Amino acid sequence: MSFFRAARRLAVPAATTLVLLAVLLGLGTWQAHRLAWKTNLLARIDAAEAGPPVPLTDRPEPFAKVQAIGRFDNAREALVGLEVRGTTLGARLLVPLLREGAPALLVDRGWVPLERDRPVDHPEGEVAVAGWVRPGETAGFFAPADDPVARRFYTYDPQAIGAALDLGRVAPFTLVAIGDRPGLPEADRALPRPTNNHLGYAITWYGTALALVGVFLVWARRRLKE
């Protein structure tokens, strides 16, 4: 009889522990899946950077190294984000690339200072732009408000920027130019490398789950001896 009374006393704590254990294991497993995805993504970025850019398609993979051909619409350039380099505040220069038979493509040509101390290069005629595919974003809750009139944007949202620039159809992603040409804008020189901390997160969640089981077993053993 005393055993059953003790078991009833353990029922609620045991159920609570099982729920918490399921949550911790779920979080650990999710981080393990994210680790595999991020590792594969970084491997694809390494492979893309080692090879030449491929022709841009309608649905490119994020972070793919591609090349697009068209004409820059320099009259409708805009600035996106804020970025400090050294002691100089600047932003990314976003310029529509008009393509034959395809939607306009917003090209992030690189960083420029807000107060221009040097001229900015504005290529004319048909150009071939190599870069990496940056997926479109939506404004977060704390994101600064865009200023379409001044063509100042803070979120890489191609549809919103394209509408503000009166571009009509626009590709749902941005092409971030890469290159080593001197002058402004200062283009990226390599593909980005997203951080990969998922192994540490997975170990943390699984370790916490193991600690939870250990604490419960020690506590339950003491209660059963009472």
Side-chain angles (χ1 to χ4, degrees):
M1 183 67 66
S2 60
F3 173 80
F4 290 106
R5 283 199 299 269
R8 284 196 296 270
R9 293 168 63 187
L10 295 178
V12 173
T16 303
T17 300
L18 286 175
V19 171
L20 292 175
L21 182 62
V23 171
L24 292 171
L25 291 176
L27 289 171
T29 301
W30 178 65
Q31 289 294 341
H33 288 310
R34 293 285 293 175
L35 172 63
W37 170 78
K38 187 64 70 64
T39 301
N40 178 263
L41 174 62
L42 290 171
R44 287 194 288 111
I45 291 175
D46 289 339
E49 190 166 66
V54 299
L56 179 64
T57 62
D58 292 337
R59 296 183 179 181
E61 289 289 332
F63 302 101
K65 184 179 178 182
V66 300
Q67 178 175 274
I69 298 175
R71 296 174 181 270
F72 280 125
D73 188 351
N74 295 304
R76 285 192 275 192
E77 66 181 27
L79 295 176
V80 61
L82 285 175
E83 183 180 339
V84 177
R85 295 195 176 183
T87 59
T88 304
L89 181 63
R92 309 287 297 193
L93 183 66
L94 207 62
V95 185
L97 184 72
L98 306 181
R99 302 178 294 161
E100 186 71 27
L105 173 65
L106 294 176
V107 177
D108 178 346
R109 296 191 56 213
W111 180 89
V112 293
L114 295 184
E115 296 185 3
R116 308 291 169 81
D117 57 351
R118 290 169 287 163
V120 175
D121 177 48
H122 291 99
E124 299 290 342
E126 189 173 77
V127 295
V129 185
W132 59 274
V133 176
R134 177 168 183 165
E137 302 172 350
T138 54
F141 186 77
F142 297 104
D146 294 333
D147 185 353
V149 175
R151 296 181 183 176
R152 289 290 288 113
F153 302 93
Y154 298 93
T155 302
Y156 277 83
D157 185 341
Q159 302 303 325
I161 297 174
L165 299 180
D166 195 24
L167 287 174
R169 288 199 308 151
V170 63
F173 52 85
T174 301
L175 178 63
V176 182
I178 53 177
D180 55 4
R181 196 184 65 81
L184 295 177
E186 297 179 5
D188 289 4
R189 294 179 179 270
L191 272 67
R193 296 296 191 280
T195 57
N196 188 8
N197 300 321
H198 300 293
L199 177 60
Y201 295 147
I203 292 174
T204 297
W205 290 122
Y206 284 139
T208 304
L210 183 61
L212 174 66
V213 172
V215 169
F216 175 77
L217 291 176
V218 171
W219 175 83
R221 182 179 180 184
R222 290 179 179 176
R223 291 301 299 270
L224 289 174
K225 287 184 177 181
E226 294 177 359

